[in-house]
């Protein structure tokens, strides 16, 4: 029975990886032999010209600041990265119900979202003891990927596709502890 489970897990993992690879080969754009890098001297950023003329003020009135301002602390706060993690859980009632968990991790830097990771996991009741199925999506400034996840006991198997690099992804994880 255990041998059949591992065979089914391996077969599902390899099938998902093959589908992701075929999807990438069929839908991927033709990539030149050498992609331009942002650090190459020949690389130029696309420039759009949109000139707006703003009238200059006539007078400038200086107002005394009522307290001392620590500019270094303001700049240190502005350039630091803040990571926010939000975990949402829901469960469905009934015998065939299950539970779902969504973990959203946002990285905020310089007053903008520098990166976001969303992890969705659905656990049916019949698999609640050791198995779960999930969808994982990661994206940031230069990265976007969608992956499928299968968990068996403490092991996690990932397979997916990176849309930025036009390449399939695969991975294996092991849960060390749970809280």
């Amino acid at each position: 029975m255990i041998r059949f489970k591992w065979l089914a897990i391996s077969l599902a993992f390899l099938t998902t990886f093959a589908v992701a690879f075929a999807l990438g080969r069929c839908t991927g754009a033709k990539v030149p032999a050498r992609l331009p890098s942002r650090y190459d001297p020949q690389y130029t950023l696309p420039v759009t010209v949109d000139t707006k003329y703003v009238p200059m003020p006539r007078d400038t009135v200086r107002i005394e600041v009522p307290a001392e301002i620590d500019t270094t602390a303001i700049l240190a706060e502005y350039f630091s990265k803040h990571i926010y993690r939000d975990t949402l859980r829901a469960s469905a009632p009934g015998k065939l119900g299950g539970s779902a968990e969504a973990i959203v991790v946002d990285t905020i830097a310089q007053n903008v979202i520098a990166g976001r990771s969303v992890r969705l996991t659905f656990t049916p009741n019949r698999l609640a003891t050791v198995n779960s199925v999930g969808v994982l999506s990661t994206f940031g400034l230069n990265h976007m990927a969608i992956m499928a996840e299968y968990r068996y006991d403490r092991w996690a198997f990932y397979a997916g596709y990176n849309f930025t690099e036009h390449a399939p992804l695969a991975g294996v994880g092991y849960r060390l502890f749970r809280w």
Side-chain angles (χ1 to χ4, degrees), residues 5-19 150 157 159:
K5 283 184 181 178
W6 281 107
L7 179 65
I9 290 169
S10 301
L11 186 61
F13 179 73
L14 290 174
T15 303
T16 306
F17 183 74
V19 167
Y150 175 74
F157 302 95

Side-chain angles (χ1 to χ4, degrees), residues 44-78:
T44 58
L45 291 172
V47 177
T48 57
V49 178
D50 187 14
T51 305
K52 295 182 181 179
Y53 295 99
V54 179
M56 297 299 292
R58 289 187 184 168
D59 295 326
T60 302
V61 178
R62 301 281 180 196
I63 298 175
E64 191 70 30
V65 178
E68 285 192 27
I69 304 295
D70 188 4
T71 308
T72 307
I74 293 171
L75 290 175
E77 183 71 19
Y78 178 75

Side-chain angles (χ1 to χ4, degrees), residues 42-163:
Q42 290 93 12
Y43 181 75
T44 58
L45 291 172
V47 177
T48 57
V49 178
D50 187 14
T51 305
K52 295 182 181 179
Y53 295 99
V54 179
M56 297 299 292
R58 289 187 184 168
D59 295 326
T60 302
V61 178
R62 301 281 180 196
I63 298 175
E64 191 70 30
V65 178
E68 285 192 27
I69 304 295
D70 188 4
T71 308
T72 307
I74 293 171
L75 290 175
E77 183 71 19
Y78 178 75
F79 285 106
S80 62
K81 289 184 179 180
H82 301 280
I83 299 173
Y84 298 95
R85 180 179 179 191
D86 190 15
T87 303
L88 307 168
R89 292 185 179 93
S91 61
K95 186 176 181 182
L96 295 177
S99 63
E101 181 180 69
I103 300 173
V104 180
V105 179
D106 287 333
T107 303
I108 310 294
Q110 299 178 11
N111 293 339
V112 297
I113 297 176
R116 175 172 282 172
S117 173
V118 179
R119 181 177 177 174
L120 302 171
T121 304
F122 174 71
T123 307
N125 275 346
R126 59 188 169 90
L127 301 176
T129 55
V130 292
N131 299 309
S132 70
V133 177
V135 176
L136 175 67
S137 171
T138 60
F139 47 93
L141 293 177
N142 291 324
H143 178 76
M144 181 174 170
I146 294 177
M147 293 182 275
E149 167 192 51
Y150 175 74
R151 287 186 177 266
Y152 177 75
D153 198 16
R154 299 182 116 190
W155 291 94
F157 302 95
Y158 303 96
Y161 187 71
N162 184 345
F163 291 100

